[in-house]
Amino acid sequence: MKKILWALACAALLFASCGEEATGLVKVRSGKVQGVVTEGLTIYKGIPFAAPPVGDLRWKAPQREASWDTVLVADHFAPGAMQGGHSPVGFSEDCLYLNVWTPAASKKDKLPVLVWIYGGGFAGGHTADPNYDCEALARKGGIVMVSVAYRVGKLGFLAHPELSAENPQHVSGNYGLLDQIAALQWVQENIAQFGGDPDKVTIFGESAGGISVSQLCASPLAAGLFRGAISQSGGSFGPTRPTTYPGENMKTLSDAEKDGLKIAESLGASSLAEMRALDASAFVTNGLSANGGGWPIVDGYVIPGDQYELYEQGRYNDVAVLIGYNSDEGASFGGLGGASTPEGHIAGVQKRYGKFAEDLLAAYPLEDGKVGKQARDLMRDAAFGWQTWAWGCLQAKTGKSPVYMYYFDQHPEYPEDSPRYGYGSPHGQDVAYVFQHMENSRMKESDLPLSDAMGQYWINFTKYGDPNGEGLPKWPRFMGEDDSQYMYLTGPEPFAGPVPSLESLKVLDAYFAWRRTDEGKAASL
């Protein structure tokens, strides 16, 4: 009996000397949280960072979460934001939770922090997606990983005159971005409890998550919340447009409010009170949200103005950035607007690009009368390539922080008789490589060296604001000039090379410049 008591006393002494964090128990601003300790890593899933945005809080900026007295056991993901599709944890309007993976042994470790923002066209996405599991990357790099949720679709981005009228800033529509900002504020206040360093936070995301990263870099509300940003297939540098297209997705507050009125009318709601009384499922559509209301907008508050012009003026959060896109993004979106025939492709280019249509058809030509990769690259560059290139050029010109650019191009060489002949890397393929998830992708053993290199580049950037490190091919800093280089992320070994399709990008650049003129605006209603 004495031996048992002695052992218990020793265990208590060990607990006291190591601190609560050694057991996975930490104190955050609203209460104690218990994580799951597993082989040198502690994982916390489903920590609330804001109050549930339900009832009167629907379409309002996120409010601080309520405190709790008992220990919150954070051992499972919370439901994702309301959306179409399926999730292993379901969907709920009560969705503002985040997750933490930490290898820290104590609060004193002060490890760099990498925060993931999921994609999904601002209409979907959730942190429980197995492709976004952060365990492998946290273990590989010795960094604290965080993934955050945000409202999507009409519940996350609906603008409406009544919503603007009740808002102190007289704006509405960017609640999903405000969720992301609230999560980053939570990280600043609490991440030290998990052994993270709030002064060394980097944000990263892909697709809509990468666009979010771009917009957070331009938002004054996010100033000081991160020191680095990684955008995979993101960027938001196109001008506003009443009728949107990929790469020109942004609307003004006025136009978005008109969409909100149409949505309310379609639901039979004559007032904001009636809109809030509707079940959340009424605002969910499968796929991308129809009739507007499912994308961030230029509201003059969260996003102060045209992001291209903000960067020209030096009005942005000047942090180190690592940004890029995949070689065949257009393949994932059916070329231009889904057109697979030459006739449909040409008609789509003429409808969207007006007086620039012929120049762009020449810059991104059909191949043997077919919509091949060169033609698809117009979609790729309008939505991703030009956005990234413009971002890099503008920051290299007006900022002080370093810019690193990449071009992901990892794919099989398909035989000529294959329907995939000539195809490159589609949208989203890079995610599994970064997260080290061979099991969740079509990666082969031969892809592992590239996945390993990409993971280490991302980790180095998180730690030092520079992706370079021992044993990796040199990644040059992008200087914004014609002879600047991108890092080609491809196997068997990455290498530095010229800006992809530079001359074609310059034609597209002329189009976007025209779109900002009075003539271009009048022609693009």
Side-chain angles (χ1 to χ4, degrees):
M1 183 67 179
K2 289 183 179 180
K3 289 183 178 180
I4 295 175
L5 292 174
W6 180 82
L8 290 172
C10 288
L13 180 62
L14 179 64
F15 174 82
S17 63
C18 291
E20 290 182 336
E21 67 271 14
T23 69
L25 185 67
V26 299
K27 175 71 169 68
V28 296
R29 68 185 185 187
S30 295
K32 290 186 176 182
V33 180
Q34 175 69 59
V36 176
V37 181
T38 170
E39 299 179 1
L41 195 72
T42 308
I43 304 172
Y44 304 82
K45 297 178 179 179
I47 304 175
F49 66 84
V54 301
D56 289 342
L57 294 184
R58 179 184 287 176
W59 301 308
K60 285 188 177 180
Q63 305 296 304
R64 182 165 172 149
E65 73 282 2
S67 297
W68 55 87
D69 295 324
T70 58
V71 174
L72 173 65
V73 179
D75 61 354
H76 62 278
F77 288 110
M82 289 295 295
Q83 60 194 266
H86 303 279
S87 163
V89 294
F91 300 118
S92 171
E93 197 171 5
D94 177 2
C95 61
L96 299 184
Y97 299 82
L98 54 74
N99 317 290
V100 180
W101 292 255
T102 177
S106 78
K107 292 186 288 187
K108 298 178 183 179
D109 285 8
K110 300 193 73 172
L111 300 177
V113 182
L114 185 56
V115 180
W116 171 251
I117 302 171
Y118 52 72
F122 293 109
H126 52 85
T127 61
D129 188 322
N131 290 308
Y132 305 155
D133 189 283
C134 297
E135 180 172 347
L137 203 54
R139 289 188 184 281
K140 178 183 179 70
I143 58 176
V144 177
M145 298 286 302
V146 181
S147 64
V148 302
Y150 60 96
R151 286 170 279 182
V152 298
K154 295 177 176 67
L155 291 170
F157 296 97
L158 180 74
H160 189 281
E162 283 192 65
L163 285 170
S164 298
E166 73 171 15
N167 183 278
Q169 288 76 35
H170 305 293
V171 299
S172 58
N174 282 329
Y175 305 107
L177 291 180
L178 289 169
D179 294 340
Q180 296 170 16
I181 292 169
L184 291 173
Q185 291 169 336
W186 187 98
V187 168
Q188 285 295 309
E189 188 174 342
N190 297 279
I191 204 63
Q193 302 302 314
F194 300 85
D197 188 343
D199 293 328
K200 296 181 180 179
V201 174
T202 296
I203 57 175
F204 80 130
E206 185 268 343
S207 193
I211 293 171
S212 295
V213 167
S214 164
Q215 292 167 339
L216 292 172
C217 285
S219 177
L221 303 186
L225 297 180
F226 52 92
R227 70 165 189 175
I230 302 173
S231 176
Q232 300 171 220
S233 303
S236 183
F237 288 82
T240 58
R241 184 169 185 161
T243 302
T244 60
Y245 290 92
E248 295 177 85
N249 307 85
M250 303 295 287
K251 293 189 177 187
T252 64
L253 175 60
S254 175
D255 284 334
E257 287 178 338
K258 294 174 185 175
D259 288 339
L261 288 170
K262 293 177 183 177
I263 291 168
E265 182 181 0
S266 71
L267 294 171
S270 59
S271 68
L272 180 55
E274 291 183 11
M275 292 270 280
R276 284 196 169 119
L278 291 171
D279 188 84
S281 61
F283 301 96
V284 174
T285 57
N286 291 318
L288 298 180
S289 296
N291 302 317
W295 200 273
I297 62 171
V298 176
D299 62 352
Y301 174 60
V302 181
I303 302 176
D306 182 318
Q307 192 162 324
Y308 190 99
E309 295 174 349
L310 293 175
Y311 269 65
E312 282 185 314
Q313 300 159 12
R315 296 170 56 198
Y316 58 93
N317 301 316
D318 189 356
V319 300
V321 297
L322 186 155
I323 52 182
Y325 57 99
N326 298 354
S327 62
D328 207 353
E329 307 263 12
S332 301
F333 299 94
L336 181 76
S340 58
T341 65
E343 297 79 13
H345 176 78
I346 292 170
V349 172
Q350 291 172 337
K351 179 180 179 180
R352 172 176 178 178
Y353 294 103
K355 65 181 289 184
F356 275 83
E358 296 307 314
D359 289 345
L360 288 167
L361 286 169
Y364 296 91
L366 297 171
E367 301 165 47
D368 298 324
K370 298 179 180 179
V371 183
K373 184 176 182 303
Q374 280 188 290
R376 291 197 304 271
D377 284 351
L378 175 54
M379 168 67 181
R380 177 199 73 186
D381 286 350
F384 305 105
W386 179 85
Q387 309 290 332
T388 299
W389 180 70
W391 184 353
C393 289
L394 286 165
Q395 181 160 331
K397 181 178 180 180
T398 64
K400 296 180 180 178
S401 300
V403 177
Y404 298 93
M405 311 281 279
Y406 76 82
Y407 181 70
F408 180 84
D409 188 30
Q410 180 75 350
H411 58 88
E413 294 298 333
Y414 301 100
E416 290 191 24
D417 60 352
S418 168
R420 303 290 297 175
Y421 176 69
Y423 276 65
S425 297
H427 186 66
Q429 184 184 343
D430 52 310
V431 173
Y433 286 74
V434 170
F435 277 94
Q436 315 290 285
H437 283 328
M438 182 178 180
E439 75 283 0
N440 295 334
S441 73
R442 296 180 179 178
M443 273 197 280
K444 301 176 182 178
E445 289 290 336
S446 58
D447 294 313
L448 290 180
L450 178 60
S451 176
D452 180 65
M454 289 176 65
Q456 195 59 55
Y457 279 133
W458 267 235
I459 290 165
N460 289 347
F461 184 82
T462 301
K463 290 181 174 180
Y464 314 114
D466 184 332
N468 290 291
E470 184 177 354
L472 293 169
K474 176 68 176 179
W475 190 323
R477 180 172 172 173
F478 183 79
M479 305 306 294
E481 301 169 355
D482 283 359
D483 61 350
S484 284
Q485 293 185 308
Y486 280 38
M487 197 67 181
Y488 281 64
L489 298 176
T490 184
E493 185 173 90
F495 62 91
V499 177
S501 308
L502 178 58
E503 295 307 312
S504 299
L505 281 173
K506 289 180 178 179
V507 178
L508 196 52
D509 190 55
Y511 162 75
F512 280 111
W514 170 73
R515 277 278 292 107
R516 289 184 166 85
T517 67
D518 291 339
E519 179 189 18
K521 292 175 182 177
S524 306
L525 298 177

